[in-house]
Each structure stands twice: as structure tokens, then as C-alpha cells.
């Protein structure tokens, strides 16, 4: 199904509320599950929130913090971005949103053993994302001093773990014969780091990870995702938010 346009009004949870994902108007944590839903043919509305530049400097996030968040906080006091609305259900925090959507898409493992693999590898990919966020959202001085070492060592250690996992498990995807939510999140992290490597004229992060490269190629080739790659509100969105050192 085609992606809905961002910045539409946030729906209120109710009996007829469509499956809706709310997040910043970036790829970030939203992109992997938007891709997964497209691949599975599960319609998903995306509500994107912009950070606006302030004249005096800094950013205005009131579109989320002052407008929609207080409304949703009355229903779910834990509310944050991303959030997911499915009828009367309101889910927040990234991992619960991921696993909820994975169950909707039948991409959470087909057996208890596969589901356990999904949970482990999803957590490992999230560790990689946290390492990336730590450096991307620091100071310019910190970024300049650390990006190369991060790309060459810290990030590679995470990719090496995932590559070794695939070798030991003997499966084409992280949890089995078919892609799961963990593979889509891994795809995004591989793609982001490869983009960073290209921009800074470094070798591909996949040069030592042929099994991860195969996952990246397989997902990129899915016909269900063909419209995503050139969508200005899909893959063409910025990777990170406006205050990040790498966008």
C-alpha cells in the first residue's frame, strides 16, 4: 500500500481508528517498521512531526510536545515517540511498537524458537543504534574527534556480532528463512552506516559482512518496497533530526 502523507491530523484512539504510527519527520526509528508493513501489505498511516527552526536559534517541537502529546498522555501516561494507534490500542516506546507491528505483519518469528531469535537480534541491533545516536547527537567537536574511530571499530564490532550470528545459525535471515522485524531494523542500520562511510570516503561497512550484505540486498529488492526508495516522505527523508551532526 502507498504511504500516507505526513503531518495529517493525529487520530484519537477509537473503534475505527486505522493503524497509525507517529514519529519525527525523519527515517530514524520509523523507517524500519514502515518498510516492514509495506512488505507485508499491512496499511499503515504515518503521522510525521517536524522540528521547526526558531528565529533565536534552537528548535520548536511544539507540534508534538504542546499539541498531540498531552492528548495522548491522558490515555497512556508513558507516551513518547514513536507511538502506535490501532483501534482502541495505544502503544508507545520503540521496542513494544516494533514487536506489536511485527505480530500484525507476521514477522515476529513463526515458532517460539524463532521469536526468541527475533528478540535477541532486535536488541543487538538496538545496541548498535544507541551507539550511533550517542555520537550523532553529541557536540560538533565530539563528532569530529570520534566519527572515524566509531565507524572503524565500535560500529564494526556490532556488525561482526550479527555476521557471526548468521554464520552460527546457518539461516539467510536473522531468525530463519524469512525476514522479520529484526532484519528490517538491521537493514536500516546497515544502510545508515554505509551512507556515512560513503560520505566520508571510507570502505563499505559490508565489505567484511557478506551475510548482512545479502540481507540488505534481499530487502532492497522486494517489489513491495519499490515505491519507498524514491518517496520524499519515505526513504528520502533525513536519517536523523535537525540537531544531529550526521543527518
Amino acid at each position: 500500500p502507498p504511504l500516507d502523507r505526513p503531518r495529517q491530523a493525529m487520530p484519537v484512539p477509537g473503534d475505527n481508528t486505522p493503524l497509525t504510527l507517529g514519529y519525527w519527520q525523519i527515517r530514524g526509528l520509523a523507517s524500519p517498521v514502515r518498510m516492514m508493513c509495506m512488505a507485508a501489505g499491512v496499511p499503515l498511516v504515518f503521522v510525521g512531526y517536524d522540528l521547526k527552526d526558531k528565529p533565536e536559534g534552537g528548535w520548536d517541537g511544539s507540534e508534538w510536545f504542546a499539541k498531540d502529546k498531552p492528548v495522548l498522555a491522558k490515555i497512556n501516561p508513558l507516551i513518547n515517540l514513536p507511538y502506535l494507534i490501532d483501534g482502541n490500542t495505544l502503544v508507545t516506546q520503540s521496542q513494544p511498537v516494533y514487536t506489536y507491528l511485527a505480530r500484525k505483519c507476521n514477522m515476529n518469528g513463526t515458532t517460539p524458537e524463532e521469536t526468541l531469535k527475533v528478540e535477541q537480534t532486535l536488541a543487538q541491533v538496538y545496541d548498535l543504534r544507541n551507539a550511533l545516536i550517542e555520537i550523532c547527537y553529541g557536540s560538533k567537536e565530539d563528532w569530529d574527534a570520534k566519527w572515524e574511530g566509531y565507524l572503524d571499530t565500535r560500529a564494526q564490532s556490532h556488525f561482526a556480532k550479527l555476521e557471526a550470528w548468521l554464520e552460527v545459525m546457518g539461516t539467510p535471515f536473522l531468525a530463519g528463512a524469512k525476514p522479520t522485524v529484526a532484519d528490517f531494523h538491521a537493514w536500516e542500520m546497515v544502510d545508515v552506516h554505509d551512507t556515512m562511510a560513503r560520505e566520508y570516503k571510507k570502505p563499505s561497512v559490508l565489505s567484511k559482512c557478506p551475510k548482512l550484505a545479502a540481507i540488505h540486498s534481499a530487502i532492497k529488492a522486494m517489489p513491495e518496497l519499490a515505491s519507498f526508495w524514491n518517496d520524499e516522505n519515505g526513504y528520502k527523508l533525513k536519517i536523523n533530526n535537525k540537531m544531529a551532526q550526521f543527518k
Side-chain angles (χ1 to χ4, degrees), residues 81-147:
L81 296 178
Y83 66 77
L84 184 73
I85 301 172
D86 185 13
N88 286 297
T89 301
L90 175 60
V91 184
T92 194
Q93 299 293 348
S94 53
Q95 297 287 58
V97 166
Y98 272 43
T99 52
Y100 186 99
L101 280 174
R103 291 190 293 270
K104 294 278 289 189
C105 294
N106 293 317
M107 290 190 181
N108 198 44
T110 57
T111 66
E113 292 77 17
E114 282 189 4
T115 300
L116 185 57
K117 291 178 181 179
V118 171
E119 292 167 350
Q120 292 176 85
T121 52
L122 190 58
Q124 179 61 47
V125 175
Y126 206 78
D127 283 350
L128 170 59
R129 180 192 178 269
N130 284 342
L132 175 68
I133 293 305
E134 181 182 317
I135 186 171
C136 283
Y137 285 87
S139 68
K140 178 68 164 60
E141 294 75 18
D142 204 41
W143 170 263
D144 289 342
K146 294 181 178 179
W147 74 262

Side-chain angles (χ1 to χ4, degrees), residues 205-222:
V205 297
L206 295 172
S207 58
K208 298 178 182 178
C209 302
K211 295 184 183 299
L212 278 176
I215 290 176
H216 188 270
S217 296
I219 289 177
K220 185 70 182 287
M222 286 183 172

Side-chain angles (χ1 to χ4, degrees), residues 23 27-36 94-95 98-99 107 118-119 121-130 132-133 159 162 174 179-193 212 215-216 219:
Y23 191 62
R27 281 166 59 180
L29 286 166
S31 193
V33 285
R34 293 177 75 190
M35 290 167 59
M36 178 180 68
S94 53
Q95 297 287 58
Y98 272 43
T99 52
M107 290 190 181
V118 171
E119 292 167 350
T121 52
L122 190 58
Q124 179 61 47
V125 175
Y126 206 78
D127 283 350
L128 170 59
R129 180 192 178 269
N130 284 342
L132 175 68
I133 293 305
F159 289 124
L162 292 168
L174 290 170
T180 66
V181 63
D183 296 285
F184 284 95
H185 200 187
W187 188 96
E188 178 70 5
M189 285 297 97
V190 166
D191 198 71
V192 167
H193 284 81
L212 278 176
I215 290 176
H216 188 270
I219 289 177

Side-chain angles (χ1 to χ4, degrees), residues 53-67:
D53 297 315
K54 290 183 177 179
E56 67 274 19
W59 295 274
D60 175 11
S62 59
E63 191 176 69
W64 164 243
F65 290 109
K67 184 182 176 185

Side-chain angles (χ1 to χ4, degrees), residues 38 60 195 199:
M38 287 186 76
D60 175 11
T195 300
E199 187 166 316

